[in-house]
């Protein structure tokens, strides 16, 4: 939910992020420092809303950047 993503902030570890929003469905083996969350809502077989959140981690697995695109819920 939007409230969960608002709890994310730089400095949190991967484990802390996973407790708050869960693990992403896909983790890329060549991009271990990035987690992507994609939410899509369809109505009448058409995309109604789309929201993407990307978490970027440093070498110590702490969040260094969060990007958001679209509208969540």
């Amino acid at each position: 939910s939007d409230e969960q993503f608002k709890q994310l902030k730089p400095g949190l570890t991967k484990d802390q992020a996973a407790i708050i929003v869960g693990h992403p469905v896909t983790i890329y083996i060549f991009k271990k420092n990035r987690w992507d969350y994609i939410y899509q809502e369809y109505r009448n077989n058409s995309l109604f809303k789309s929201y993407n959140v990307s978490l970027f981690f440093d070498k110590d697995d702490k969040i260094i950047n969060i990007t958001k695109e679209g509208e969540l819920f």
Side-chain angles (χ1 to χ4, degrees):
S1 75
D2 192 38
E3 291 302 315
Q4 289 169 300
F5 280 102
K6 286 180 181 178
Q7 294 177 48
L8 297 174
K9 58 187 174 214
L12 292 178
T13 65
K14 283 184 177 180
D15 288 339
Q16 291 170 317
I19 289 169
I20 295 169
V21 294
H23 288 281
V25 174
T26 303
I27 299 176
Y28 304 103
I29 59 172
F30 297 110
K31 295 181 181 179
K32 292 183 180 180
N33 67 331
R34 178 179 177 161
W35 285 3
D36 291 307
Y37 296 85
I38 301 168
Y39 296 91
Q40 295 179 329
E41 180 181 338
Y42 287 84
R43 292 193 183 165
N44 299 321
N45 295 322
S46 295
L47 182 61
F48 179 70
K49 289 183 183 179
S50 180
Y51 190 79
N52 302 319
V53 175
S54 296
L55 306 179
F56 297 88
F57 299 91
D58 65 13
K59 62 179 175 49
D60 297 320
D61 287 340
K62 293 185 178 179
I63 296 174
I64 54 172
N65 191 27
I66 302 168
T67 62
K68 302 174 187 176
E69 296 178 23
E71 178 184 343
L72 182 62
F73 307 114

